[in-house]
Amino acid sequence: MKIYVLLFLEFFKIGLFSVGGGYATIPFLYQIVNDYGWYTSQQLSDMIAISTLTPGPVGINMATFAGFKTASFSGAIFASIALILPSYILVVAISGILKKYKENFYVKAVLASLKPAGCGLLTVVGLNLIKDNVNNLIGVGLLLFLFALSFKFKKNPLYYFLIGGLFGIFIHFLLPNTGI
């Protein structure tokens, strides 16, 4: 029973303090290696690789894997719930406050400013990705081209996947330094 309490407390702490997404949990997971030895550094490296490749949020995937490695299926459940719980509590608390003050001028102003600020941040990230990497320019161009073709010719989407794959292979050999 002690292992479940420790597992829950550690992953609750990780969920509370790892702000910035799944990769922000990595320092905490390394600390667990040192403090408890539930898994090795090599297993953590494997966990990060597997969590990145599997569908779903990286942080949850890592918590599930670490919990499973530590205490089997029930450990995976404990770790996953513990990681999610701080965010859930925070969202419930904030939504209650927002409901109470939704007509407040300042609350309206803050909420109204969040949408354009978020769009601006995403735009900057997108532009930096495009600027820093020729693959993105080629990929975006190919995406737009195939999207337009799909409206004009109304073929099975698998044809467009095939065209995109063949184009990717062709570009890979034509421009080997682009990393496509």
Side-chain angles (χ1 to χ4, degrees):
M1 185 61 148
K2 182 181 177 186
I3 190 74
Y4 295 114
V5 172
L6 280 173
L7 197 62
F8 186 86
L9 290 175
E10 284 299 317
F11 279 94
F12 187 86
K13 179 179 73 175
I14 292 171
L16 189 61
F17 294 112
S18 61
V19 178
Y23 295 109
T25 65
I26 294 172
F28 294 100
L29 295 170
Y30 272 111
Q31 190 63 40
I32 288 175
V33 169
N34 296 330
D35 291 349
Y36 300 104
W38 290 338
Y39 42 85
T40 66
S41 294
Q42 179 59 47
Q43 289 171 325
L44 179 59
S45 296
D46 294 342
M47 182 187 340
I48 293 166
I50 291 168
S51 297
T52 302
L53 295 173
T54 54
V58 172
I60 298 298
N61 290 344
M62 286 195 287
T64 304
F65 187 82
F68 186 81
K69 184 71 183 148
T70 304
S72 189
F73 182 75
S74 54
I77 300 294
F78 269 82
S80 298
I81 289 172
L83 187 78
I84 295 168
L85 195 57
S87 298
Y88 177 78
I89 291 169
L90 189 61
V91 166
V92 168
I94 289 174
S95 69
I97 292 168
L98 286 177
K99 281 183 182 178
K100 184 176 180 181
Y101 295 104
K102 67 181 177 185
E103 296 303 321
N104 182 291
F105 171 78
Y106 297 107
V107 171
K108 283 183 173 180
V110 167
L111 291 176
S113 67
L114 287 177
K115 288 179 185 175
C119 289
L121 288 171
L122 288 174
T123 301
V124 168
V125 168
L127 291 174
N128 283 335
L129 284 172
I130 290 171
K131 178 186 78 170
D132 293 342
N133 196 340
V134 71
N135 299 344
N136 289 327
L137 289 173
I138 294 169
V140 168
L142 179 62
L143 174 71
L144 294 174
F145 175 71
L146 293 175
F147 189 69
L149 281 180
S150 72
F151 278 105
K152 181 168 176 78
F153 295 108
K154 308 258 190 247
K155 295 283 185 190
N156 186 324
L158 291 176
Y159 289 118
Y160 300 107
F161 282 116
L162 179 64
I163 292 169
L166 292 174
F167 187 79
I169 291 169
F170 175 74
I171 291 297
H172 174 74
F173 289 109
L174 183 67
L175 304 170
N177 294 329
T178 64
I180 294 179

